[in-house]
Amino acid sequence: MVEALPGDRIHAFPGGLKLRHHKAVACEHPVKRPALPDRLYIQILQHQGESGELLVTDGDRVRAGQALTSAGDDFIVPEHAPTSGTIETITDHPAAFPPGGTQRAIVLVPDGRDEWVECRPVADWHNASPGTLIDHLHQSGLAGMGGAMFPTAAKLRGDWPQLRTVILNGAECEPWIACDEMLMRERAQDVIEGGLILARAAGAERVVIAIEDRMGVVDDRLRAARQALGAEDSVRIRKVFTVYPEGGERQLIQALTGREVPHDGLPQDLGVVVHNVATAAAARDAVLEGRPLIERIVTVTGPGIAQPRNFLTLIGTPFSHLVDSAGGYAEPVSRLILGGPMSGTALASDAIPVTKGSNCILALTERETAPTQPTMPCINCGECVRVCPARLLPQTLFRLIEAENLDAAADYDLSDCIECGCCAAVCPSHIPLVDYYRHGKDELVRRRLDRRRAALAKRRYEAREERLARQKAERQARRKAREEKLKRPEKAQDEIQAAIERAKQNKKT
Amino acid sequence: MKFELAGAPHQPPAASVGGVMRQVLYALVPAVAAHVWFFGYGILFQIALAVGFAVAFEAIMLKLRDRPIGLFLSDWSAVVTGVLFALCMPPLAPWWIAAVGMLFAIVIAKQLYGGLGYNLFNPAMVGFAAVIIAFPLELSQWLLPRSLSPGLPGLLETAQAVFTGRLPATLDWDSVTGATPLDQLRTGVRENLLVTEVRSAPIFGDFGGRGWEWIANFYALGGIYLLWKRVISWHVPVAVIATTVMISMPLWLFGPDTNPSPAQHIFSGALVLAAFFIATDPVSGCSTSKGKLVFGAGVAILTLVIRRWGGYPDGVAFAVLLMNMGAPLIDRLTRPRTYGH
Ligand code: SF4
Ligand code: SF4
């Protein structure tokens, strides 16, 4: 029997939305590099996990590719200087996460010379051990470039005997976002090479590249590149339906394998691991050229942008600089979004810099966002149930969270909500459902922490009580002993005598 | 530049409650027109009265409950309740029937439960159940369809009948009112007539009641429009009609003399109306796909049971209300399996 492998057949997943796509507007021109900005703001934390130690201070001169923060374990990914210049300062700078908040960033003033440190590729990666490759990718600062920014090394490392397939996610199903499509158009071969590297690092045998069924050119280019590399046996190119959120990791896995990632498990349990296509290209650059991750393609688009297009952007470039490079704002922009309209984050300002996970800047005018309509009560229409790809009951979750009945919401699997926004998009009562789920999840996390903290506090309290009780008991025992002695003066006398004797002894010696 | 901070999704909402309700009203237009053709202007008076009382009661209750009146009136839900109620009324029912019906529907079943979205029972059906229990006589006075009638009342005569309860001298109640086909069938079967004999009465048409079968067709047409517009999903209508067929078909095949045919069941009375417009009421119904199937099947089974053994010729309203009671439980029992569980 021939074993069915991921990607052999395309499966359906429940729910989802067919959205109108607006990707073409940004794809008319090839990807271009914008002019060098005056300053780069390199966030010291750009991934899930923790930031490394700072390796530079104010006034330091750095060269492109030089590490600015140190690498630690797999969850501490280093940042590198995108170009040569001087460190002006290290400061708190506006950031996309938390919305409206700031993050520590290294401010680099480029000198325009783009001098590089020496690049160290991996020699003969075909025979390098997975460990060597993973360490190299980690040192090169790789983190997922699809938006979730999960450290690449952490995803690759581990003993997964069943792991057969690396899935490259090229199915960005959000309308407007086109950076992955452009990357695959222009660097098809690099994407495939990167996929093969990731497969070697993960101990997998094959690569499945998932693209949307409407990406005709991409399909042709990938096929040509695969042939040029002689990788027909190990690389598959699969078209998936353009249904949002098909590009979500779990939905993509469902589409390619027909199976669901267990809620307390990982894709690796199904023998697959998913990487973004941009991550694959970055892996290729790191391994074959020794270049750390210092740039990415960002789509700058939307009705509020004069000349929408894709930019090959240095990490740390402020969004405002990219908008200027795209001809500036065309109309009064009401919402500036990082990511797509369905799941993106609204930004408070355009001073926020590009990070490894910034895929798209979308400027929407009032027409697209519509003045917020009044929220009506839920009419139980079940539209949200119909579109939920996680097969949740969004309206039930909403009612439970609204009633602050979070334990019940947890029983209804609130934590399995992927925050795709499908439910809110179809709700005729205009309930901001996803906001409720975020709040509910935060609250659950807080409660869990609270519980843990309370348990700790309780333990501390009990320990203290115990100690106090012990001390009290000891005090009482001592007092009792004293009282006993006082009651029997002759015994006390004996002791005094004994003490005098001891003192004498001491003097003698 | 300053930008607005808001949660995703960043898209104008696809639909609105008011929009959905308006679609329901559009979908009823053909059936109402057919109704006017077969039974005269009465239905229009009933609709006007019921909608008027519904909106008035809704406004008063919103005011008393200190709720934004304009916002909730513009959701059109009170209008839909009024229209659905009116569609179940005999054309010449006196005006105060609508008042009492809407009092129960809007004030008690809807607003006292918390207003839009919080009512446990379908308001229109609560109103209908209330008046049919309280005023069985007034609610049994139906008109004969145009082709069998010596003359349908005109506008003025209709107005007079509805507002004063008196008919003009040219018409008298005996010549005007007739039983509905379902009534006739029930009475006939209870008098040990064969279904075929009952069916040979002129009030029966080709596959249902004369006139009624056409109105049912137009309800179905409106229902298909709603399906196409994705206002309703297929689950409830298909479940109602398929279950009706599945249960009545074998009975009819084995005992055609005592059991009406599936077509008879579907095309006389309010079954098609219920399948597309009443049992699909989201608020008081089920929201999971499986739940909708169970809900629709339940409505069909109970309707047939009430028609056969109950005290009223058509059991749709009571069937819907009974299923409303079970809806939350059905939803809980048909909860889909979460991804990855
Ligand atoms: S879509 Fe909105 S109104 Fe409809 S059931 Fe879901 S939450 Fe309620
Ligand atoms: S946001 Fe959550 S609840 Fe809503 S459709 Fe997506 S997964 Fe389902």
Side-chain angles (χ1 to χ4, degrees), chain B residues 106-137:
Chain B
I106 300 288
V107 177
I108 294 174
K110 186 177 179 189
Q111 290 294 336
L112 290 185
Y113 275 88
L116 175 73
Y118 295 97
N119 48 304
L120 299 182
F121 296 97
N122 183 317
M125 291 303 103
V126 171
F128 176 79
V131 295
I132 202 172
I133 292 169
F135 315 110
L137 182 68

Side-chain angles (χ1 to χ4, degrees), chain A residues 250 254 260-263 329 334-335 337 341-342 344 346-347 364 368 374 376-381 386 390-393 395 399 411-413 416 421 424-425 428-430 435, chain B residues 1-17 20-21 71-72 75 116-118 230 282-283 285-288 292 331-332 335-341:
Chain A
R250 290 168 165 244
Q254 199 171 8
E260 297 171 14
V261 181
H263 76 113
Y329 295 111
S334 63
R335 251 183 246 182
I337 292 154
M342 290 299 293
L347 302 174
L364 294 178
E368 292 78 33
M376 303 285 283
C378 167
I379 57 167
N380 195 40
C381 64
R386 194 175 59 78
R391 272 195 248 99
L392 296 168
L393 298 180
Q395 95 280 34
R399 287 187 184 209
D411 285 343
Y412 273 89
D413 300 327
D416 288 278
S429 291
H430 310 149
D435 292 357
Chain B
M1 211 187 273
K2 254 291 190 196
F3 305 102
E4 121 188 83
L5 280 181
H10 311 279
Q11 280 200 323
S16 69
V17 178
V20 168
M21 298 286 171
L71 178 63
F72 281 105
D75 68 27
L116 175 73
Y118 295 97
R230 288 176 157 270
V283 178
C286 288
S287 57
T288 64
K292 286 176 181 168
D331 257 347
R332 199 158 339 132
R335 174 184 164 194
R337 180 181 57 80
T338 307
Y339 180 105
H341 280 256

Side-chain angles (χ1 to χ4, degrees), chain A residues 377-385 395 398 423 426-429 431 433:
Chain A
C378 167
I379 57 167
N380 195 40
C381 64
E383 277 300 289
C384 50
V385 181
Q395 95 280 34
F398 157 68
C423 52
V426 297
C427 176
S429 291
I431 304 169
L433 292 165

Side-chain angles (χ1 to χ4, degrees), chain A residues 14-216:
Chain A
L17 293 177
K18 283 214 164 64
L19 301 170
R20 259 191 62 206
H21 277 245
H22 309 272
K23 302 194 186 220
V25 277
C27 296
E28 280 162 20
H29 309 284
V31 177
K32 114 177 167 184
R33 252 177 219 287
L36 204 57
D38 297 340
R39 279 180 180 71
L40 296 169
Y41 302 83
I42 302 130
Q43 281 182 204
I44 62 171
L45 178 64
Q46 301 192 19
H47 58 272
Q48 291 186 34
E50 274 139 66
S51 59
E53 304 283 326
L54 272 173
L55 299 177
V56 290
T57 55
D58 301 4
D60 281 3
R61 226 195 89 70
V62 296
R63 287 189 289 167
Q66 178 180 336
L68 301 177
T69 65
S70 66
D73 66 18
D74 285 351
F75 282 92
I76 300 177
V77 180
E79 303 303 329
H80 299 83
T83 184
S84 60
T86 316
I87 305 297
E88 186 176 62
T89 177
I90 293 149
T91 180
D92 288 331
H93 190 75
F97 301 100
T102 60
Q103 285 266 341
R104 207 91 187 126
I106 301 165
V107 185
L108 171 63
V109 180
D111 58 14
R113 290 199 292 254
D114 200 31
E115 293 166 351
W116 272 77
V117 293
E118 192 195 335
C119 293
R120 288 199 195 82
V122 178
D124 187 21
W125 67 265
H126 290 279
N127 294 312
S129 73
T132 313
L133 285 173
I134 295 173
D135 287 341
H136 184 80
L137 295 176
H138 185 54
Q139 295 293 340
S140 306
L142 257 76
M145 293 166 79
M149 300 192 263
F150 194 81
T152 304
K155 218 177 209 184
L156 289 169
R157 190 115 39 199
D159 186 20
W160 302 98
Q162 298 301 316
L163 189 64
R164 308 282 298 275
T165 309
V166 166
I167 295 174
L168 293 190
N169 187 350
E172 175 48 82
C173 48
E174 278 263 19
W176 300 101
I177 307 180
C179 54
D180 291 344
E181 181 169 353
M182 289 308 277
L183 173 83
M184 289 186 286
R185 271 202 219 176
E186 300 193 355
R187 299 184 59 195
Q189 191 161 334
D190 295 353
V191 169
I192 293 180
E193 261 177 332
L196 293 170
I197 291 170
L198 289 173
R200 164 114 197 129
E205 301 142 30
R206 42 179 244 153
V207 178
V208 173
I209 307 181
I211 60 171
E212 287 170 29
D213 53 6
R214 41 156 212 96
M215 295 178 178

Side-chain angles (χ1 to χ4, degrees), chain B residues 219-289:
Chain B
Y219 283 138
L221 195 71
I224 290 166
Y225 171 79
L226 291 185
L227 281 171
W228 175 56
K229 285 282 174 187
R230 288 176 157 270
V231 171
I232 58 173
S233 70
W234 58 268
H235 303 84
V236 171
V238 167
V240 170
I241 290 168
T243 309
T244 305
V245 172
M246 258 155 39
I247 293 182
S248 58
M249 181 71 94
L251 290 176
W252 175 64
L253 285 179
F254 289 112
D257 290 339
T258 45
N259 294 296
S261 72
Q264 186 71 45
H265 269 298
I266 292 170
F267 289 99
S268 318
L271 200 82
V272 181
L273 173 67
F276 288 100
F277 293 90
I278 295 173
T280 49
D281 168 39
V283 178
S284 55
C286 288
S287 57
T288 64
S289 299

